[in-house]
Amino acid sequence: MKKINIKFFEVCKYLGEDIESEPCKLVKQHINECPDCSVYVDKIKKVVKLYRIVDNFDDIPADVDKKLFAKLNLSPKKE
Amino acid sequence: MEKINLKTEKQIVLKAQSGDRNALSSLVSLYENRIYHLALRMLGNEQDAEDILQETFMVMLNKIHQFEGNSSFYTWLYRIAVNLGLRLIKSRSPEKFNISLDDPDSEQIKNEVLSEWHEIDYEKIGHKHIRSKINSVLKELPGMYRTIFILRDLHGTSVKDTSKILNISESNTKIRLMRARNFLKEKLEKIVKEEDLL
């Protein structure tokens, strides 16, 4: 297995960049071959997924919306 | 969240800059949900989120004539909200940097396979106390790191736009995002075990 400096991770997706980019190809290859790195990246993906599930993008509460437009002295208008 | 047609947005912004109240209302309607969500995640409570929401749009009203269109409007607006949010975080409590925000090292990654998360039981995430625990971990991140995670991973903002919003380099954005994700992963290891999420 090709030895790789783990700091290389800094340039990659799930650690910051697009894994299809040229600098990441070596890292991607390494991740596929290295069980520990593969598990690490999988966990990072799951962390992001967990937060997306926990999170919700519900509309702001109606009273907050009302107070906002009143404060701005604007009439609510949906585009 | 609502998708915004950039051409339409540009026209609305131009009208708003000329003082059109309907256009200003449209911009508020287009962005209020995102700004509120961003502030809520950054600050962690509804009252602060509401304050930041109102302040952000007050600044927008007062300074929209200064927007030159060099960046997208949402980047400009987000920058206002993020700056207000970070300022509030800083004023509340000097941030403690005694938490580990190191890069993942070979030693740490060497043992990952021993604690693999095969399949997470995502249904359990619906339990209030688990959601609360997961959210509290996010609050432990220093404001800047938390904001980068929210922008990139929750709002889907590009590295380029995140850098512009935070006025830091793209490489700095990537490194901080990596550290934020790594920090959250380390903290979630414990929760995953405690709550038997596998």
Side-chain angles (χ1 to χ4, degrees):
Chain A
M1 191 185 307
K2 190 176 282 186
K3 178 82 177 162
I4 193 162
N5 182 351
I6 216 68
K7 295 281 181 188
F8 222 109
F9 267 73
E10 290 177 11
V11 296
C12 285
K13 192 182 181 185
Y14 303 116
L15 307 167
E17 207 186 293
D18 182 355
I19 206 161
E20 299 305 330
S21 65
E22 200 57 39
C24 287
K25 283 185 179 169
L26 258 180
V27 182
K28 188 180 180 184
Q29 186 187 337
H30 173 79
I31 289 168
N32 288 336
E33 292 168 353
C34 168
D36 284 313
C37 292
S38 172
V39 169
Y40 179 82
V41 171
D42 180 63
K43 282 183 180 178
I44 295 289
K45 287 182 191 175
K46 283 173 176 159
V47 166
V48 174
K49 186 173 175 182
L50 269 175
Y51 276 99
R52 286 182 179 159
I53 289 171
V54 165
D55 212 37
N56 68 60
F57 278 90
D58 289 344
D59 287 351
I60 66 173
D63 64 314
V64 175
D65 174 65
K66 199 175 168 184
K67 280 190 271 178
L68 173 65
F69 276 94
K71 173 99 178 171
L72 301 173
N73 197 22
L74 291 172
S75 308
K77 179 180 180 297
K78 299 287 176 190
E79 189 66 22
Chain B
M1 277 189 290
E2 191 178 353
K3 290 276 179 193
I4 300 164
N5 178 313
L6 285 178
K7 198 176 171 186
T8 308
E9 182 190 273
K10 203 172 178 182
Q11 289 167 346
I12 299 170
V13 170
L14 283 172
K15 282 185 187 173
Q17 285 180 310
S18 66
D20 184 322
R21 307 289 289 173
N22 280 335
L24 287 166
S25 292
S26 294
L27 289 176
V28 175
S29 295
L30 281 170
Y31 283 106
E32 61 179 341
N33 285 332
R34 295 170 195 229
I35 299 296
Y36 182 75
H37 177 274
L38 173 67
L40 188 58
R41 288 287 163 263
M42 282 181 74
L43 282 307
N45 73 79
E46 283 93 358
Q47 188 53 59
D48 285 340
E50 187 175 345
D51 291 346
I52 295 296
L53 177 76
Q54 291 190 358
E55 280 186 63
T56 299
F57 285 109
M58 286 299 287
V59 173
M60 183 196 86
L61 289 190
N62 293 327
K63 295 196 172 177
I64 194 163
H65 63 280
Q66 293 177 10
F67 174 67
E68 294 175 343
N70 296 329
S71 61
S72 61
F73 182 73
Y74 100 90
T75 312
W76 182 78
L77 193 64
Y78 265 50
R79 191 184 300 151
I80 294 169
V82 162
N83 284 341
L84 289 168
L86 288 174
R87 196 182 303 162
L88 187 58
I89 290 169
K90 206 172 173 183
S91 71
R92 286 280 160 78
S93 56
E95 297 209 301
K96 298 165 191 159
F97 286 97
N98 57 349
I99 59 169
S100 168
L101 278 168
D102 297 332
D103 298 342
D105 58 34
S106 342
E107 277 309 303
Q108 177 199 329
I109 292 176
K110 199 164 74 181
N111 298 317
E112 286 293 336
V113 80
L114 298 174
S115 58
E116 186 172 359
W117 298 350
H118 292 283
E119 278 304 322
I120 288 187
D121 184 352
Y122 290 106
E123 282 194 12
K124 282 190 179 172
I125 309 303
H127 296 173
K128 199 176 172 183
H129 79 281
I130 297 178
R131 296 169 77 95
S132 170
K133 272 188 171 185
I134 293 173
N135 276 328
S136 68
V137 169
L138 184 59
K139 288 180 196 167
E140 287 180 42
L141 271 173
M144 182 62 121
Y145 289 83
R146 185 160 71 244
T147 305
I148 289 175
F149 180 78
I150 295 164
L151 289 172
R152 285 284 291 126
D153 285 336
L154 302 185
H155 282 229
T157 309
S158 68
V159 170
K160 191 177 176 183
D161 285 347
T162 304
S163 312
K164 281 184 184 170
I165 291 165
L166 292 163
N167 200 24
I168 58 176
S169 70
E170 290 186 26
S171 58
N172 205 335
T173 298
K174 291 173 198 169
I175 288 168
R176 288 182 191 215
L177 176 64
M178 174 196 65
R179 288 176 182 163
R181 287 168 169 171
N182 190 57
F183 172 83
L184 295 174
K185 183 197 81 68
E186 289 298 299
K187 293 283 178 177
L188 289 181
E189 294 272 10
K190 197 178 163 201
I191 296 174
V192 165
K193 272 184 201 160
E194 278 174 0
E195 300 296 339
D196 197 20
L197 295 180
L198 297 177

